[in-house]
Amino acid sequence: VSFSLVTMCIVVALIYLGVAEFFITLFLPATYTTKAANAVDYFKIISLSALAMPFSMLYTLIIAYDQIKRLVIYAVLASTAGAITLYIKGVFQLSTLVPAGFVVYYFILGALCYRFVYGKLGLSPRILLRAVPDTLQFIRQYLNKRRDIS
């Protein structure tokens, strides 16, 4: 989860720093970047769901604990929350928030999966960023090894 989470944080940050605009305007015709249907805005919003995806991958542990019924309940709750989000978006005619239901779905599912794993394994929130010191240590060792060879 840690490496996926850190990677997704970097990717989402890059998307919000302008990478999305660059690629979308490069590959899509101008009709996708008009104010009425701005693909960049949609892409930015939907990219937020990437932050929750590493947590929703924990569903495999729920399956390993033979808690299929629990997983179905989680999926129904997340789907219901996503559908309610889409309904509210429709009522208030917020066309820019079309991907919000997808984002809500992944955040709810991810939170429920993490809660289950935390309860079973005690997966501390601190370990979620474990990839950062591990990666830095790997880079230091690699650079020291290269320096010793030279």
Side-chain angles (χ1 to χ4, degrees):
V1 172
S2 180
F3 281 98
S4 296
L5 179 61
V6 170
T7 302
M8 292 303 167
C9 286
I10 292 168
V11 169
V12 170
L14 288 172
I15 287 169
Y16 274 85
L17 289 173
V19 173
E21 286 93 344
F22 174 75
F23 282 108
I24 288 175
T25 55
L26 181 68
F27 293 113
L28 294 177
T31 56
Y32 288 98
T33 56
T34 63
K35 195 62 183 160
N38 193 340
V40 174
D41 291 340
Y42 292 159
F43 190 74
K44 283 181 174 180
I45 292 170
I46 207 163
S47 72
L48 293 174
S49 64
L51 299 173
M53 285 181 185
F55 297 102
S56 59
M57 291 187 317
L58 294 171
Y59 79 90
T60 55
L61 291 173
I62 298 172
I63 292 170
Y65 276 100
D66 198 28
Q67 297 286 316
I68 306 302
K69 195 181 290 186
R70 178 184 304 265
L71 189 57
V72 169
I73 291 169
Y74 288 175
V76 168
L77 289 172
S79 297
T80 302
I84 289 170
T85 302
L86 289 175
Y87 175 76
I88 292 169
K89 176 220 60 85
V91 167
F92 291 104
Q93 299 178 2
L94 302 169
S95 62
T96 307
L97 297 178
V98 168
F102 190 72
V103 174
V104 168
Y105 169 82
Y106 269 104
F107 269 93
I108 298 293
L109 183 62
L112 292 170
C113 289
Y114 177 76
R115 184 175 154 254
F116 175 83
V117 172
Y118 178 78
K120 289 289 185 182
L121 303 175
L123 183 66
S124 100
R126 195 164 178 240
I127 199 126
L128 297 176
L129 297 176
R130 184 68 207 155
V132 175
D134 286 351
T135 302
L136 293 174
Q137 179 64 25
F138 173 79
I139 291 169
R140 273 190 231 110
Q141 286 177 345
Y142 177 78
L143 292 175
N144 286 338
K145 188 177 178 181
R146 284 191 52 103
R147 194 176 323 133
D148 291 341
I149 293 173
S150 300

